[in-house]
Amino acid sequence: MRKVSALTASKAFKVYMQKNGNSPLSQQDFVEFMISIMKKYDFCDTKSEEDIIRDEFDKVFSTFDYDKSGNLDAEEVANCLSLMCGGSINHKIYAAFTLFDDNNSMTLSFDELNKFIRCVFQTFDGLRKGNSALEGGEVWNKIDIKKLTLAATEKCFQDMKLVKGKGEVNYTQFMSWMTG
């Protein structure tokens, strides 16, 4: 998947969601979506390549189905695309940012930002669980991701002097806040 940029994949996923609604993707839908991207960018030309890629995407699906529901919601797909696709870290963050911009305003409301930040923390938590170097930290084992997400979202809005329900954060503001 590194051959496809996270930004390209996120744009394709937004188009897919607009056509098919915002419902979670079954394993088959996810695999077909990913195969279509690989074919579109000429990374899957033969039936044997498709079969190999299909098996790999089945494994990817299982990795990102955090709640083991048998479906990937938009947040789980965003995690997958931002981690598994290519591009710089800034491109990956921007790709995820745009996926959570439900109204295509190039800004995130409080609720959209909360989903985006939860995606970041869930991604880290998912990676941590599969990485023995990160696994043992007692601090991370005690963290409530939902509470941490809400606190970070509230802090971002507070620091930017925005009011929940009225203000929105653009990508540049968010990145300044993150690195500031």
Side-chain angles (χ1 to χ4, degrees):
M1 286 179 58
R2 298 262 181 236
K3 294 178 181 180
V4 177
S5 79
L7 193 52
T8 297
S10 69
K11 286 178 183 178
F13 184 63
K14 276 198 98 147
V15 169
Y16 176 89
M17 294 300 280
Q18 288 169 348
K19 285 183 184 175
N20 298 298
N22 203 18
S23 57
L25 278 73
S26 68
Q27 186 165 355
Q28 180 179 348
D29 290 341
F30 171 76
V31 170
E32 293 304 321
F33 167 72
M34 295 308 297
I35 295 277
S36 72
I37 290 174
M38 298 302 279
K39 284 182 176 180
K40 181 176 181 178
Y41 294 98
D42 295 326
F43 300 125
C44 178
D45 298 324
T46 67
K47 176 71 172 128
S48 61
E49 286 177 328
E50 183 178 330
D51 290 342
I52 291 167
I53 291 171
R54 189 174 296 281
D55 288 342
E56 292 304 312
F57 284 133
D58 281 336
K59 293 174 192 169
V60 168
F61 179 92
S62 297
T63 300
F64 287 93
D65 183 14
Y66 299 129
D67 60 4
K68 302 303 177 204
S69 65
N71 294 299
L72 294 183
D73 61 28
E75 290 177 42
E76 291 167 325
V77 173
N79 289 345
C80 173
L81 296 179
S82 60
L83 279 173
M84 302 297 292
C85 291
S88 70
I89 190 68
N90 284 343
H91 284 134
K92 290 175 181 230
I93 292 170
Y94 183 73
F97 188 93
T98 61
L99 279 173
F100 290 99
D101 178 15
D102 293 335
N103 62 359
N104 298 316
S105 65
M106 298 306 293
T107 60
L108 296 183
S109 67
F110 184 90
D111 291 338
E112 291 168 334
L113 182 64
N114 194 57
K115 288 178 189 175
F116 170 67
I117 291 173
R118 184 172 54 234
C119 169
V120 172
F121 288 141
Q122 286 176 331
T123 300
F124 178 77
D125 192 50
L127 288 173
R128 178 191 65 83
K129 288 178 180 171
N131 184 331
S132 59
L134 298 172
E135 187 69 42
E138 284 188 38
V139 172
W140 279 105
N141 292 332
K142 295 177 183 178
I143 289 178
D144 181 329
I145 298 287
K146 288 182 182 180
K147 287 181 182 177
L148 180 62
T149 298
L150 182 59
T153 306
E154 288 173 343
K155 177 79 169 120
C156 180
F157 262 60
Q158 178 185 23
D159 289 353
M160 291 188 203
K161 297 177 180 29
L162 297 172
V163 177
K164 180 180 175 182
K166 293 184 182 178
E168 297 204 348
V169 177
N170 68 36
Y171 176 74
T172 303
Q173 290 171 312
F174 177 76
M175 290 304 290
S176 288
W177 179 76
M178 288 290 295
T179 59

